[in-house]
């Protein structure tokens, strides 16, 4: 498995880079640390910065100078982070640093689509430099041909022991569960499926749980039926109650109208819960 960490070093929030590195150590995976410099956000800054001795104060940097300066500063900061974390990891982790002028949308949609088993780690708190909003972040995750892991700022890595799965207890998503099951087998977590019964009786629900167990072979699987009503509010309350290590979200294509798979619901989970969120977009 290849793990791509989207750099968050330009933001004010505590970085999730240490989380991504420790996750890679646990999975014995190679890491790409990607930082994009969007030229749309790097326009005509003044050269009055004190660290520039070669350009007269008050002049304007050229576009090339802006990008070169930004790349140098980013490289230095990333090197500081990696040097600090290397001693803590005490593990020969291979990290490839990729700093380039690009848009995050283009980089994720085209440069990172290595395969459905690829994993992308993102700070779920936007930094204003790479991601302007969580809605934009989810759009990029949807374009990614793999698994996205959205991690709270400063989250300390711990092996995943308890995962929560919102579901409508249909068989539609089983094929897509398999890629995520491959990732989770490195942790052997309990998978709690939670949703509305949608007129299924207990025997049908037990059969559904059995099928789910066949996919998550390395996990204990169980299910819980919520009462009819506001599913979104009930689910978020349930997340806060059991405090899972991970919430699994499988967003369905537009032809599915079930509310728990809409982007608005995913945004609520990101905004109102505190656990990492695994996001997988079910392609048409």
């Amino acid at each position: 498995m290849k793990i791509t960490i989207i750099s968050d070093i330009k933001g004010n929030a505590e970085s999730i880079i240490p989380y991504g590195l420790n996750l890679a150590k646990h999975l014995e995976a190679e890491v790409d640390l990607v930082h994009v410099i969007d030229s749309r956000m790097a326009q005509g800054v003044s050269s009055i910065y004190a660290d520039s001795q070669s350009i007269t104060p008050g002049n304007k940097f050229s576009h090339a100078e802006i990008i070169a300066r930004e790349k140098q500063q980013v490289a230095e900061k990333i090197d500081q982070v990696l040097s600090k974390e290397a001693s803590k990891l005490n593990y020969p982790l291979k990290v490839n640093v990729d700093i380039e002028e690009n848009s995050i949308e283009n980089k994720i949609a085209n440069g990172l689509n290595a395969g459905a088993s690829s994993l992308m780690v993102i700070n779920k708190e936007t930094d204003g430099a790479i991601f302007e909003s969580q809605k934009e972040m989810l759009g990029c995750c949807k374009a990614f041909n793999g698994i996205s892991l959205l991690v709270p700022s400063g989250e300390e890595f711990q092996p995943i022991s308890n995962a929560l799965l919102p579901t409508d207890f249909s068989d539609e998503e089983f094929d897509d569960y398999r890629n995520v099951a491959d990732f989770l087998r490195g942790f052997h977590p309990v998978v709690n499926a939670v949703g509305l019964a949608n007129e299924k009786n207990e025997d049908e629900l037990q059969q559904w749980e059995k099928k789910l167990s066949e996919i998550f072979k390395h996990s204990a699987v169980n299910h819980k039926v919520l009462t009819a009503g506001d599913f979104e509010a009930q689910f978020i309350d349930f997340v806060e109650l059991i405090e899972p290590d991970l919430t699994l979200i499988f967003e369905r294509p537009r032809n599915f109208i079930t509310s728990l798979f809409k982007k608005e619901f995913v945004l609520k989970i990101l905004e109102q819960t505190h656990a990492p969120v695994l996001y997988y977009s079910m392609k048409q």
Side-chain angles (χ1 to χ4, degrees):
M1 171 179 282
K2 173 67 73 71
I3 294 178
T4 298
I5 304 173
I6 303 300
S7 165
D8 57 4
I9 63 168
K10 297 291 288 186
N12 294 322
E14 193 174 352
S15 178
I16 53 84
I17 292 175
Y19 181 99
L21 297 177
N22 279 279
L23 173 64
K25 174 184 176 180
H26 182 87
L27 297 176
E28 299 182 348
E30 186 176 332
V31 173
D32 286 343
L33 178 55
V34 172
H35 186 101
V36 298
I37 301 169
D38 194 331
S39 60
R40 295 170 299 179
M41 301 179 187
Q43 302 294 330
V45 297
S46 174
S47 66
I48 59 174
Y49 294 102
D51 65 341
S52 176
Q53 300 177 357
S54 60
I55 302 176
T56 303
N59 291 343
K60 294 286 185 178
F61 285 131
S62 68
H63 176 77
E65 289 171 328
I66 292 171
I67 299 302
R69 184 180 195 284
E70 183 75 4
K71 285 184 176 180
Q72 180 182 356
Q73 291 178 339
V74 167
E76 290 173 354
K77 195 164 186 178
I78 287 178
D79 186 61
Q80 290 173 2
V81 172
L82 294 180
S83 297
K84 178 181 178 181
E85 295 303 317
S87 59
K88 297 179 183 178
L89 286 171
N90 192 27
Y91 179 81
L93 185 66
K94 183 177 181 181
V95 181
N96 309 302
V97 178
D98 179 8
I99 304 169
E100 64 178 74
E101 181 182 2
N102 206 338
S103 70
I104 190 63
E105 296 90 349
N106 184 64
K107 180 65 176 178
I108 289 176
N110 299 302
L112 301 183
N113 277 329
S117 62
S118 299
L119 181 69
M120 178 170 64
V121 181
I122 301 175
N123 191 331
K124 75 172 186 175
E125 184 168 334
T126 56
D127 58 8
I130 293 182
F131 291 109
E132 290 288 337
S133 68
Q134 288 183 328
K135 187 174 182 180
E136 177 192 20
M137 189 182 292
L138 284 181
C140 290
C141 292
K142 188 169 185 177
F144 181 56
N145 187 31
I147 301 166
S148 300
L149 190 61
L150 297 110
V151 180
S153 171
E155 180 80 0
E156 184 176 343
F157 172 78
Q158 60 179 344
I160 299 164
S161 62
N162 181 8
L164 196 58
L165 172 66
T167 181
D168 62 358
F169 298 111
S170 73
D171 295 347
E172 302 288 347
E173 61 267 22
F174 279 155
D175 286 341
D176 291 288
Y177 285 169
R178 288 185 171 83
N179 291 322
V180 171
D182 286 342
F183 162 65
L184 287 179
R185 69 181 177 182
F187 301 97
H188 307 284
V190 175
V191 176
N192 300 289
V194 179
L196 301 176
N198 293 326
E199 300 182 356
K200 281 185 168 60
N201 60 41
E202 186 56 33
D203 286 342
E204 291 173 316
L205 291 170
Q206 290 293 343
Q207 285 300 312
W208 184 90
E209 182 182 303
K210 182 179 179 181
K211 291 179 182 178
L212 189 66
S213 297
E214 292 170 357
I215 295 172
F216 291 99
K217 296 178 181 177
H218 302 276
S219 297
V221 173
N222 56 57
H223 74 272
K224 176 178 176 58
V225 176
L226 298 178
T227 58
D230 188 341
F231 171 82
E232 295 181 2
Q234 288 187 70
F235 182 80
I236 289 172
D237 286 345
F238 193 72
V239 173
E240 294 299 286
L241 176 66
I242 71 170
E243 298 183 341
D245 297 321
L246 187 65
T247 301
L248 309 175
I249 300 292
F250 291 78
E251 186 180 27
R252 293 185 178 184
R254 289 184 180 180
N255 56 312
F256 290 98
I257 61 173
T258 310
S259 65
L260 67 152
F261 299 105
K262 291 181 179 178
K263 185 178 289 185
E264 291 77 10
F265 176 47
V266 185
L267 286 170
K268 285 184 180 180
I269 291 175
L270 289 178
E271 294 167 358
Q272 300 179 29
T273 66
H274 306 290
V277 173
L278 185 151
Y279 176 92
Y280 188 93
S281 179
M282 297 169 161
K283 305 298 190 292
Q284 295 245 26

